[in-house]
Amino acid sequence: MTTEAPAALAMVTIDCADPAKEAEFWAAALGWKVTYADDNYGMASDGTQRLGFGRVEEWQRPEWPNPAGTKQFHLDLAVDDLDAAEEQLLALGATKPAEQPGETWTVLLDPDGHPFCLTKAANWG
C-alpha cells in the first residue's frame, strides 16, 4: 500500500526588511536567478527550488549567538572549500560574526542578519 502525501513544498519564505536585497544575495550565493523583486517581496529560484523573502514592518534581525532560540531557523550550505566559499559570500554582502561553533562549520549572516552555516559537502555523505 502506498500513501500519497497531501502536499508538496513549493517554497520557503523568509521574513526580512529588504526583500529585493535578500533575493539578490541568495540568488548570487546559490547560483540562482532573481525571479521577482520589489519593495515588499523577492524570490530567488533555480527553476525547481525557490526561496521567497517577504517584507515585515519593524522586522528585527535575529541575534547570533542565540541562546534563547529565537532565530527560529537557519540554512545549511554545503561547499567544497570552506575558505573560498566564505570569501565569496563575504564579497556578496554576508558578514562573519565573532562567535563561531567550531572548526567544521562557519556561521555567516546574510545582509538582513539571518544566520546561515557553511560546511564541507563531503560531510553530508
Coordinates of all heavy atoms in Angstrom, one line a residue, residues 19-120:
P19 N 13.4 42.7 1.0 CA 13.2 41.5 0.1 C 14.1 41.5 -1.2 O 14.6 40.5 -1.5 CB 11.7 41.5 -0.2 CG 11.1 42.3 0.8 CD 12.1 43.4 1.2
A20 N 14.2 42.6 -1.8 CA 14.9 42.7 -3.1 C 16.4 42.4 -2.8 O 17.0 41.6 -3.5 CB 14.8 44.0 -3.8
K21 N 16.9 43.0 -1.8 CA 18.4 42.7 -1.4 C 18.6 41.3 -1.0 O 19.6 40.7 -1.4 CB 18.8 43.7 -0.3 CG 20.2 43.7 0.0 CD 20.6 44.8 1.0 CE 22.1 44.9 1.2 NZ 22.4 45.9 2.1
E22 N 17.7 40.7 -0.2 CA 17.8 39.3 0.2 C 17.7 38.4 -1.1 O 18.6 37.5 -1.2 CB 16.7 39.0 1.1 CG 16.9 39.6 2.5 CD 18.0 38.9 3.3 OE1 17.9 37.8 3.7 OE2 19.0 39.6 3.4
A23 N 16.8 38.6 -2.0 CA 16.7 37.8 -3.2 C 18.0 37.9 -4.0 O 18.5 36.9 -4.5 CB 15.5 38.2 -4.0
E24 N 18.5 39.1 -4.1 CA 19.8 39.3 -4.9 C 20.9 38.5 -4.2 O 21.7 37.9 -4.9 CB 20.1 40.8 -5.0 CG 21.3 41.1 -5.8 CD 21.5 42.6 -5.9 OE1 20.6 43.4 -6.1 OE2 22.7 43.0 -5.6
F25 N 21.1 38.7 -2.9 CA 22.1 38.0 -2.2 C 22.0 36.5 -2.4 O 23.0 35.8 -2.7 CB 22.1 38.3 -0.7 CG 23.1 37.5 0.1 CD1 24.5 37.8 0.1 CD2 22.7 36.4 0.8 CE1 25.4 37.1 0.8 CE2 23.6 35.6 1.5 CZ 24.9 36.0 1.5
W26 N 20.9 35.9 -2.1 CA 20.7 34.5 -2.1 C 20.8 33.9 -3.5 O 21.3 32.8 -3.7 CB 19.4 34.0 -1.4 CG 19.6 34.1 0.1 CD1 19.2 35.1 0.9 CD2 20.4 33.3 0.9 NE1 19.6 34.9 2.2 CE2 20.4 33.7 2.2 CE3 21.2 32.1 0.6 CZ2 21.1 33.1 3.3 CZ3 21.9 31.5 1.7 CH2 21.8 32.0 3.0
A27 N 20.3 34.6 -4.5 CA 20.5 34.2 -5.9 C 22.0 34.1 -6.2 O 22.4 33.1 -6.8 CB 19.7 35.1 -6.8
A28 N 22.7 35.1 -5.9 CA 24.2 35.1 -6.1 C 24.9 34.0 -5.3 O 25.7 33.3 -5.8 CB 24.8 36.4 -5.9
A29 N 24.5 33.8 -4.1 CA 25.1 32.8 -3.2 C 24.9 31.4 -3.7 O 25.8 30.6 -3.6 CB 24.6 33.0 -1.8
L30 N 23.7 31.1 -4.3 CA 23.4 29.8 -4.7 C 23.5 29.5 -6.2 O 23.3 28.4 -6.6 CB 21.9 29.5 -4.2 CG 21.7 29.5 -2.7 CD1 20.2 29.4 -2.4 CD2 22.5 28.4 -2.0
G31 N 23.9 30.6 -6.9 CA 24.0 30.4 -8.4 C 22.6 30.4 -9.0 O 22.5 29.8 -10.1
W32 N 21.6 31.0 -8.4 CA 20.3 31.0 -8.9 C 20.0 32.3 -9.6 O 20.9 33.1 -9.7 CB 19.2 30.8 -7.8 CG 19.3 29.5 -7.1 CD1 20.1 28.4 -7.4 CD2 18.4 29.0 -6.0 NE1 19.8 27.4 -6.5 CE2 18.8 27.7 -5.7 CE3 17.4 29.6 -5.4 CZ2 18.2 27.0 -4.7 CZ3 16.7 28.9 -4.4 CH2 17.1 27.6 -4.1
K33 N 18.7 32.6 -9.9 CA 18.3 33.9 -10.5 C 17.3 34.5 -9.6 O 16.5 33.8 -9.0 CB 17.7 33.7 -11.9 CG 18.8 33.1 -12.9 CD 18.2 33.0 -14.3 CE 19.3 32.5 -15.2 NZ 18.9 32.3 -16.5
V34 N 17.3 35.9 -9.6 CA 16.2 36.6 -9.0 C 15.0 36.5 -10.0 O 15.1 37.0 -11.1 CB 16.6 38.1 -8.7 CG1 15.4 38.8 -8.2 CG2 17.7 38.1 -7.7
T35 N 13.9 35.9 -9.5 CA 12.8 35.8 -10.4 C 11.7 36.8 -10.2 O 10.8 37.0 -11.0 CB 12.2 34.3 -10.3 OG1 11.9 34.0 -9.0 CG2 13.2 33.3 -10.9
Y36 N 11.8 37.5 -9.0 CA 10.9 38.6 -8.7 C 11.5 39.4 -7.6 O 12.1 38.9 -6.7 CB 9.5 38.0 -8.3 CG 8.5 39.2 -8.0 CD1 7.8 39.7 -9.1 CD2 8.4 39.7 -6.8 CE1 6.9 40.8 -8.9 CE2 7.5 40.8 -6.6 CZ 6.8 41.3 -7.7 OH 5.9 42.3 -7.5
A37 N 11.3 40.7 -7.7 CA 11.8 41.6 -6.6 C 11.1 42.9 -6.6 O 11.0 43.5 -7.7 CB 13.3 41.8 -6.6
D38 N 10.5 43.3 -5.5 CA 10.0 44.7 -5.3 C 10.2 45.1 -3.9 O 10.9 44.4 -3.1 CB 8.6 44.9 -5.8 CG 7.6 44.1 -5.0 OD1 7.8 43.7 -3.8 OD2 6.5 43.9 -5.5
D39 N 9.6 46.2 -3.4 CA 9.8 46.6 -2.0 C 9.3 45.7 -1.0 O 9.7 45.7 0.2 CB 9.2 48.0 -1.8 CG 10.0 49.1 -2.6 OD1 11.2 48.8 -2.9 OD2 9.4 50.2 -2.8
N40 N 8.3 44.8 -1.4 CA 7.6 44.0 -0.4 C 7.9 42.5 -0.5 O 7.6 41.8 0.4 CB 6.1 44.2 -0.5 CG 5.7 45.6 -0.1 OD1 6.0 46.0 1.0 ND2 5.0 46.4 -0.9
Y41 N 8.4 42.1 -1.7 CA 8.6 40.6 -1.9 C 9.7 40.4 -2.9 O 9.9 41.1 -3.8 CB 7.3 40.0 -2.4 CG 7.4 38.5 -2.3 CD1 7.2 37.8 -1.1 CD2 7.8 37.7 -3.4 CE1 7.3 36.5 -0.9 CE2 7.9 36.3 -3.3 CZ 7.7 35.7 -2.0 OH 7.9 34.4 -1.9
G42 N 10.5 39.4 -2.6 CA 11.5 38.9 -3.5 C 11.6 37.4 -3.6 O 11.1 36.7 -2.7
M43 N 12.0 36.9 -4.7 CA 12.1 35.5 -4.9 C 13.4 35.1 -5.7 O 13.7 35.8 -6.7 CB 10.9 34.9 -5.7 CG 11.0 33.4 -5.8 SD 9.7 32.7 -6.9 CE 8.2 33.3 -6.1
A44 N 14.1 34.1 -5.2 CA 15.2 33.5 -6.0 C 14.9 32.1 -6.3 O 14.3 31.4 -5.5 CB 16.5 33.6 -5.1
S45 N 15.3 31.6 -7.5 CA 15.0 30.3 -7.9 C 16.0 29.7 -8.8 O 16.7 30.4 -9.6 CB 13.6 30.3 -8.6 OG 13.3 29.0 -9.1
D46 N 16.1 28.4 -8.8 CA 16.9 27.7 -9.8 C 16.1 27.0 -10.9 O 16.5 26.2 -11.7 CB 17.9 26.7 -9.2 CG 17.2 25.5 -8.6 OD1 15.9 25.4 -8.6 OD2 17.9 24.5 -8.2
G47 N 14.8 27.3 -10.8 CA 13.8 26.6 -11.7 C 13.0 25.5 -11.1 O 11.9 25.3 -11.5
T48 N 13.5 24.9 -10.1 CA 12.8 23.9 -9.3 C 12.7 24.2 -7.8 O 11.7 23.9 -7.2 CB 13.4 22.5 -9.5 OG1 14.8 22.5 -9.0 CG2 13.4 22.0 -10.9
Q49 N 13.7 24.8 -7.3 CA 13.7 25.2 -5.9 C 13.5 26.8 -5.8 O 14.0 27.5 -6.7 CB 15.0 24.9 -5.2 CG 15.3 23.4 -5.2 CD 16.6 23.1 -4.6 OE1 16.7 22.9 -3.4 NE2 17.7 23.1 -5.4
R50 N 12.8 27.2 -4.7 CA 12.6 28.6 -4.6 C 12.7 29.1 -3.1 O 12.4 28.4 -2.2 CB 11.1 29.0 -5.0 CG 10.8 28.7 -6.4 CD 9.3 28.7 -6.6 NE 8.9 27.9 -7.8 CZ 8.7 26.6 -7.8 NH1 8.9 25.9 -6.7 NH2 8.4 26.0 -8.9
L51 N 13.3 30.3 -3.0 CA 13.4 31.0 -1.7 C 12.6 32.3 -1.9 O 12.9 33.0 -2.8 CB 14.8 31.3 -1.3 CG 15.6 30.1 -0.6 CD1 17.0 30.6 -0.3 CD2 14.9 29.7 0.7
G52 N 11.7 32.6 -1.0 CA 11.0 33.8 -1.1 C 11.4 34.7 0.1 O 11.8 34.2 1.2
F53 N 11.2 36.0 0.0 CA 11.5 36.9 1.0 C 10.4 38.0 1.1 O 10.1 38.7 0.2 CB 12.9 37.6 0.7 CG 14.0 36.6 0.5 CD1 14.3 36.2 -0.8 CD2 14.6 36.1 1.5 CE1 15.2 35.2 -1.0 CE2 15.6 35.1 1.3 CZ 15.9 34.7 0.0
G54 N 9.8 38.0 2.3 CA 8.7 38.9 2.5 C 9.0 40.0 3.5 O 9.5 39.7 4.6
R55 N 8.7 41.2 3.1 CA 9.0 42.4 3.9 C 8.0 42.4 5.1 O 6.8 42.2 5.0 CB 8.8 43.7 3.2 CG 9.1 44.9 3.9 CD 9.1 46.1 3.0 NE 9.4 47.3 3.7 CZ 8.6 48.0 4.5 NH1 7.3 47.7 4.5 NH2 9.0 49.1 5.1
V56 N 8.6 42.6 6.3 CA 7.8 42.7 7.5 C 8.1 44.0 8.2 O 9.3 44.3 8.4 CB 8.1 41.5 8.5 CG1 7.5 41.7 9.9 CG2 7.8 40.2 7.9
E57 N 7.1 44.8 8.4 CA 7.3 46.1 9.1 C 8.0 45.9 10.4 O 7.7 45.0 11.2 CB 5.9 46.8 9.4 CG 5.3 47.3 8.1 CD 6.0 48.5 7.5 OE1 6.6 49.3 8.2 OE2 5.9 48.6 6.2
E58 N 8.9 46.7 10.7 CA 9.7 46.7 12.0 C 10.3 45.3 12.3 O 10.5 44.9 13.4 CB 8.8 47.1 13.2 CG 8.2 48.5 13.0 CD 7.3 49.0 14.1 OE1 7.6 48.5 15.3 OE2 6.4 49.8 13.9
W59 N 10.7 44.7 11.2 CA 11.4 43.4 11.3 C 12.7 43.6 12.1 O 13.4 44.6 12.0 CB 11.7 42.8 9.9 CG 12.4 41.5 10.0 CD1 11.7 40.3 10.1 CD2 13.8 41.2 10.0 NE1 12.6 39.3 10.2 CE2 13.9 39.8 10.1 CE3 14.9 41.9 9.8 CZ2 15.1 39.1 10.1 CZ3 16.1 41.3 9.8 CH2 16.2 39.9 9.9
Q60 N 13.0 42.6 13.0 CA 14.2 42.7 13.8 C 15.0 41.5 13.5 O 14.6 40.3 13.5 CB 13.9 42.7 15.3 CG 13.1 44.0 15.7 CD 12.8 44.0 17.2 OE1 13.5 43.3 18.0 NE2 11.8 44.7 17.5
R61 N 16.3 41.7 13.2 CA 17.2 40.6 12.9 C 17.4 39.7 14.1 O 17.4 40.2 15.2 CB 18.5 41.1 12.3 CG 19.3 41.9 13.3 CD 20.7 42.4 12.8 NE 20.7 42.9 11.4 CZ 21.7 42.7 10.6 NH1 22.8 42.1 10.9 NH2 21.6 43.2 9.3
P62 N 17.6 38.4 13.8 CA 17.9 37.5 14.9 C 19.3 37.8 15.5 O 20.1 38.3 14.9 CB 17.9 36.1 14.3 CG 18.0 36.4 12.8 CD 17.6 37.8 12.5
E63 N 19.5 37.4 16.8 CA 20.8 37.5 17.4 C 21.6 36.3 17.1 O 21.1 35.2 16.9 CB 20.6 37.6 18.9 CG 19.9 38.9 19.4 CD 19.8 39.0 20.9 OE1 20.8 38.5 21.6 OE2 18.8 39.4 21.4
W64 N 22.9 36.5 17.0 CA 23.9 35.4 17.0 C 25.0 35.7 17.9 O 25.6 36.8 17.8 CB 24.4 35.2 15.6 CG 25.4 34.1 15.6 CD1 26.8 34.2 15.6 CD2 25.2 32.7 15.7 NE1 27.4 33.0 15.7 CE2 26.4 32.0 15.7 CE3 24.0 31.9 15.7 CZ2 26.6 30.7 15.9 CZ3 24.2 30.5 15.8 CH2 25.5 29.9 15.9
P65 N 25.4 34.8 18.8 CA 24.7 33.6 19.1 C 23.4 33.8 19.7 O 23.1 34.9 20.1 CB 25.6 32.8 20.0 CG 26.5 33.9 20.6 CD 26.6 35.0 19.7
N66 N 22.5 32.8 19.7 CA 21.2 33.0 20.0 C 20.7 31.9 21.1 O 20.1 31.0 20.8 CB 20.3 32.9 18.8 CG 18.9 33.3 19.0 OD1 18.1 32.5 19.5 ND2 18.5 34.5 18.7
P67 N 21.1 32.1 22.3 CA 20.9 31.1 23.4 C 19.4 31.0 23.7 O 18.9 29.9 24.1 CB 21.6 31.7 24.6 CG 21.8 33.1 24.4 CD 21.9 33.3 22.9
A68 N 18.5 32.0 23.4 CA 17.1 31.9 23.6 C 16.4 31.1 22.5 O 15.2 30.8 22.7 CB 16.5 33.3 23.8
G69 N 17.0 30.8 21.4 CA 16.4 30.0 20.3 C 15.4 30.8 19.5 O 14.6 30.2 18.8
T70 N 15.5 32.1 19.5 CA 14.5 32.9 18.8 C 14.9 33.1 17.3 O 14.1 33.8 16.6 CB 14.3 34.3 19.5 OG1 15.6 34.9 19.6 CG2 13.7 34.1 20.9
K71 N 16.0 32.6 16.8 CA 16.3 32.8 15.4 C 15.4 31.9 14.6 O 15.2 32.2 13.4 CB 17.8 32.5 15.1 CG 18.2 31.1 15.2 CD 19.7 31.0 14.8 CE 20.3 29.7 15.2 NZ 19.9 28.5 14.7
Q72 N 14.8 30.9 15.1 CA 13.8 30.0 14.5 C 14.3 29.1 13.4 O 13.7 28.0 13.3 CB 12.6 30.9 14.0 CG 12.0 31.6 15.1 CD 10.9 32.6 14.7 OE1 10.5 32.6 13.5 NE2 10.3 33.3 15.6
F73 N 15.2 29.5 12.6 CA 15.7 28.6 11.5 C 17.0 29.1 11.0 O 17.4 30.3 11.3 CB 14.7 28.5 10.3 CG 14.8 29.7 9.4 CD1 15.6 29.7 8.3 CD2 14.1 30.9 9.8 CE1 15.7 30.8 7.5 CE2 14.2 32.0 9.0 CZ 15.0 32.0 7.9
H74 N 17.7 28.3 10.3 CA 18.8 28.8 9.5 C 19.1 27.8 8.4 O 18.6 26.7 8.4 CB 20.1 28.9 10.4 CG 20.7 27.6 10.9 ND1 20.3 27.0 12.1 CD2 21.6 26.8 10.3 CE1 20.9 25.9 12.2 NE2 21.7 25.7 11.2
L75 N 19.8 28.2 7.3 CA 20.1 27.4 6.2 C 21.5 26.9 6.3 O 22.4 27.6 6.8 CB 20.0 28.2 4.9 CG 18.6 28.9 4.6 CD1 18.7 29.7 3.3 CD2 17.5 27.8 4.5
D76 N 21.6 25.6 6.0 CA 23.0 25.0 5.9 C 23.4 24.8 4.5 O 22.6 24.2 3.7 CB 22.9 23.6 6.6 CG 22.7 23.6 8.1 OD1 23.0 24.6 8.7 OD2 22.2 22.6 8.6
L77 N 24.5 25.3 4.1 CA 25.0 25.3 2.8 C 26.2 24.4 2.7 O 27.2 24.5 3.5 CB 25.4 26.7 2.3 CG 24.4 27.8 2.4 CD1 24.9 29.1 1.8 CD2 23.1 27.4 1.6
A78 N 26.2 23.4 1.8 CA 27.3 22.5 1.5 C 28.3 23.1 0.5 O 27.8 23.6 -0.5 CB 26.8 21.2 1.0
V79 N 29.6 23.2 0.8 CA 30.6 23.8 0.0 C 31.8 22.9 -0.2 O 32.0 22.0 0.7 CB 31.0 25.2 0.5 CG1 29.8 26.1 0.7 CG2 31.7 25.0 1.9
D80 N 32.5 23.0 -1.3 CA 33.7 22.2 -1.4 C 34.9 22.7 -0.7 O 35.7 22.0 -0.1 CB 34.1 22.1 -2.9 CG 33.0 21.3 -3.7 OD1 32.5 20.3 -3.2 OD2 32.8 21.6 -4.9
D81 N 35.0 24.1 -0.6 CA 36.1 24.7 0.1 C 35.6 25.8 1.0 O 35.1 26.8 0.6 CB 37.0 25.3 -1.0 CG 38.3 26.0 -0.4 OD1 38.2 26.6 0.6 OD2 39.3 25.9 -1.1
L82 N 35.7 25.6 2.3 CA 35.1 26.5 3.3 C 35.7 27.9 3.2 O 34.9 28.9 3.2 CB 35.4 26.0 4.8 CG 34.5 24.9 5.3 CD1 35.0 24.4 6.7 CD2 33.1 25.4 5.4
D83 N 37.0 28.0 3.1 CA 37.6 29.3 3.0 C 37.2 30.1 1.7 O 36.9 31.3 1.8 CB 39.2 29.2 3.1 CG 39.6 28.7 4.4 OD1 38.9 28.9 5.4 OD2 40.7 28.0 4.5
A84 N 37.2 29.4 0.6 CA 36.9 30.1 -0.7 C 35.4 30.5 -0.7 O 35.0 31.6 -1.1 CB 37.1 29.1 -1.9
A85 N 34.5 29.6 -0.2 CA 33.1 29.9 -0.1 C 32.8 31.1 0.8 O 32.1 32.0 0.5 CB 32.3 28.7 0.4
E86 N 33.5 31.1 2.0 CA 33.4 32.2 2.9 C 33.8 33.5 2.3 O 33.1 34.5 2.4 CB 34.2 32.0 4.2 CG 34.2 33.1 5.2 CD 35.1 32.9 6.4 OE1 35.3 31.7 6.8 OE2 35.7 33.9 6.8
E87 N 34.9 33.5 1.6 CA 35.4 34.7 0.9 C 34.4 35.2 -0.1 O 34.2 36.4 -0.2 CB 36.8 34.4 0.3 CG 37.5 35.6 -0.4 CD 38.8 35.2 -1.0 OE1 39.5 34.4 -0.4 OE2 39.1 35.8 -2.1
Q88 N 33.9 34.3 -0.9 CA 32.9 34.7 -2.0 C 31.7 35.3 -1.3 O 31.1 36.3 -1.8 CB 32.6 33.6 -2.8 CG 33.7 33.1 -3.8 CD 33.3 31.9 -4.5 OE1 33.1 30.8 -3.9 NE2 33.4 32.0 -5.8
L89 N 31.2 34.7 -0.3 CA 29.9 35.1 0.3 C 30.1 36.4 1.1 O 29.2 37.3 1.1 CB 29.4 34.0 1.3 CG 28.9 32.8 0.5 CD1 28.8 31.6 1.4 CD2 27.5 33.1 -0.2
L90 N 31.3 36.7 1.7 CA 31.5 38.0 2.3 C 31.6 39.0 1.2 O 31.1 40.1 1.4 CB 32.9 37.9 3.1 CG 32.9 37.0 4.3 CD1 34.3 36.9 4.9 CD2 31.9 37.6 5.4
A91 N 32.1 38.7 0.1 CA 32.2 39.7 -1.0 C 30.8 40.0 -1.6 O 30.5 41.1 -2.1 CB 33.0 39.2 -2.2
L92 N 29.8 39.1 -1.4 CA 28.5 39.3 -1.9 C 27.6 40.1 -0.8 O 26.5 40.5 -1.1 CB 27.8 38.0 -2.1 CG 28.2 37.2 -3.3 CD1 27.6 35.8 -3.3 CD2 27.9 37.9 -4.6
G93 N 28.2 40.3 0.4 CA 27.5 41.1 1.4 C 27.2 40.4 2.7 O 26.6 41.0 3.6
A94 N 27.6 39.1 2.8 CA 27.5 38.5 4.1 C 28.5 39.1 5.1 O 29.4 39.7 4.7 CB 27.7 37.0 4.0
T95 N 28.2 38.8 6.4 CA 29.2 39.2 7.4 C 29.5 38.0 8.3 O 28.7 37.1 8.3 CB 28.6 40.4 8.3 OG1 27.4 40.0 8.9 CG2 28.5 41.7 7.5
K96 N 30.6 38.0 8.9 CA 31.0 36.9 9.8 C 31.1 37.4 11.2 O 31.9 38.2 11.6 CB 32.4 36.4 9.4 CG 32.8 35.2 10.1 CD 34.2 34.6 9.6 CE 34.6 33.4 10.4 NZ 35.8 32.8 9.9
P97 N 30.2 36.8 12.1 CA 30.2 37.2 13.5 C 31.4 36.6 14.2 O 32.0 35.6 13.7 CB 28.9 36.5 14.0 CG 28.6 35.4 13.1 CD 29.1 35.8 11.8
A98 N 31.8 37.2 15.3 CA 33.0 36.7 16.0 C 32.7 35.3 16.6 O 33.6 34.4 16.6 CB 33.3 37.7 17.1
E99 N 31.5 35.0 17.1 CA 31.2 33.8 17.7 C 31.0 32.7 16.6 O 30.2 32.8 15.7 CB 29.9 33.9 18.5 CG 29.5 32.7 19.2 CD 30.3 32.3 20.5 OE1 30.8 33.3 21.1 OE2 30.3 31.2 20.9
Q100 N 31.8 31.6 16.7 CA 31.8 30.5 15.8 C 31.6 29.2 16.5 O 32.1 29.1 17.6 CB 33.0 30.5 14.9 CG 33.1 31.7 13.9 CD 32.0 31.7 12.9 OE1 31.7 30.7 12.3 NE2 31.4 32.8 12.7
P101 N 30.9 28.2 15.9 CA 30.6 27.0 16.6 C 31.7 26.0 16.6 O 31.6 25.0 17.4 CB 29.4 26.4 15.8 CG 29.6 27.0 14.5 CD 30.2 28.3 14.6
G102 N 32.8 26.1 15.9 CA 33.8 25.1 15.9 C 34.6 25.1 14.6 O 34.6 26.1 13.8
E103 N 35.3 24.0 14.3 CA 36.1 24.0 13.1 C 35.5 23.5 11.8 O 36.0 23.7 10.7 CB 37.3 23.1 13.4 CG 38.0 23.5 14.7 CD 39.4 24.1 14.5 OE1 40.0 23.8 13.5 OE2 39.9 24.8 15.4
T104 N 34.4 22.7 11.9 CA 33.8 22.1 10.8 C 32.6 22.9 10.2 O 32.1 22.6 9.1 CB 33.3 20.7 11.0 OG1 32.4 20.7 12.1 CG2 34.5 19.8 11.4
W105 N 32.2 23.9 10.9 CA 31.1 24.8 10.5 C 31.5 26.3 10.6 O 32.2 26.6 11.5 CB 29.9 24.7 11.4 CG 29.2 23.3 11.3 CD1 29.6 22.2 12.1 CD2 28.1 22.9 10.5 NE1 28.7 21.2 11.7 CE2 27.9 21.6 10.8 CE3 27.4 23.6 9.6 CZ2 26.9 20.9 10.1 CZ3 26.4 22.9 8.9 CH2 26.1 21.5 9.2
T106 N 31.1 27.1 9.6 CA 31.3 28.5 9.7 C 29.9 29.2 9.7 O 29.1 28.9 8.8 CB 32.1 29.0 8.5 OG1 33.4 28.4 8.6 CG2 32.3 30.5 8.6
V107 N 29.6 30.1 10.6 CA 28.4 30.8 10.6 C 28.6 32.2 10.0 O 29.6 32.9 10.3 CB 27.9 31.0 12.0 CG1 26.6 31.9 12.0 CG2 27.5 29.7 12.7
L108 N 27.8 32.5 9.0 CA 27.8 33.9 8.4 C 26.4 34.4 8.6 O 25.4 33.7 8.9 CB 28.1 33.8 6.9 CG 29.5 33.2 6.6 CD1 29.7 33.2 5.0 CD2 30.6 34.1 7.2
L109 N 26.2 35.7 8.4 CA 24.9 36.4 8.4 C 24.7 37.0 7.0 O 25.5 37.6 6.4 CB 25.0 37.5 9.5 CG 25.4 37.1 10.9 CD1 25.5 38.4 11.8 CD2 24.5 36.1 11.5
D110 N 23.4 36.8 6.5 CA 23.1 37.4 5.3 C 22.9 38.9 5.4 O 23.0 39.4 6.6 CB 21.9 36.7 4.6 CG 20.5 37.0 5.2 OD1 20.4 37.9 6.1 OD2 19.6 36.4 4.8
P111 N 22.6 39.7 4.4 CA 22.5 41.2 4.5 C 21.5 41.6 5.6 O 21.7 42.7 6.2 CB 22.2 41.6 3.1 CG 22.8 40.6 2.2 CD 22.6 39.3 3.0
D112 N 20.4 40.9 5.8 CA 19.4 41.3 6.8 C 19.7 40.6 8.1 O 18.9 40.8 9.1 CB 18.0 40.9 6.3 CG 17.2 42.1 5.8 OD1 17.8 43.2 5.8 OD2 16.1 41.9 5.4
G113 N 20.8 39.9 8.3 CA 21.2 39.4 9.6 C 20.8 37.9 9.9 O 21.0 37.4 11.0
H114 N 20.2 37.2 8.9 CA 19.8 35.8 9.1 C 21.1 35.0 9.2 O 21.9 35.0 8.2 CB 19.0 35.3 8.0 CG 17.7 36.0 7.8 ND1 17.5 36.9 6.8 CD2 16.5 35.9 8.5 CE1 16.2 37.3 6.9 NE2 15.6 36.7 7.9
P115 N 21.3 34.2 10.2 CA 22.5 33.3 10.3 C 22.3 32.2 9.3 O 21.2 31.7 9.1 CB 22.5 32.8 11.7 CG 21.3 33.3 12.4 CD 20.5 34.1 11.5
F116 N 23.4 31.8 8.7 CA 23.4 30.5 7.9 C 24.8 29.9 8.0 O 25.7 30.5 8.5 CB 23.1 30.8 6.4 CG 24.0 31.7 5.7 CD1 25.1 31.1 4.9 CD2 23.9 33.1 5.7 CE1 25.9 32.0 4.2 CE2 24.8 33.9 5.0 CZ 25.8 33.3 4.2
C117 N 24.8 28.6 7.8 CA 26.1 27.8 8.1 C 26.7 27.3 6.8 O 26.0 26.9 5.9 CB 25.8 26.7 9.0 SG 25.2 27.1 10.6
L118 N 28.0 27.3 6.8 CA 28.8 26.6 5.7 C 29.4 25.4 6.3 O 30.0 25.5 7.4 CB 29.9 27.5 5.2 CG 29.5 28.9 4.7 CD1 30.7 29.7 4.2 CD2 28.5 28.8 3.5
T119 N 29.4 24.3 5.6 CA 30.2 23.1 6.0 C 30.6 22.4 4.7 O 30.0 22.6 3.6 CB 29.3 22.2 6.9 OG1 30.2 21.2 7.4 CG2 28.2 21.6 6.2
K120 N 31.6 21.5 4.8 CA 32.1 20.8 3.6 C 31.0 19.9 3.1 O 30.4 19.1 3.9 CB 33.3 20.1 3.9 CG 34.5 21.0 4.2 CD 35.8 20.3 4.3 CE 36.9 21.3 4.4 NZ 38.2 20.7 4.3

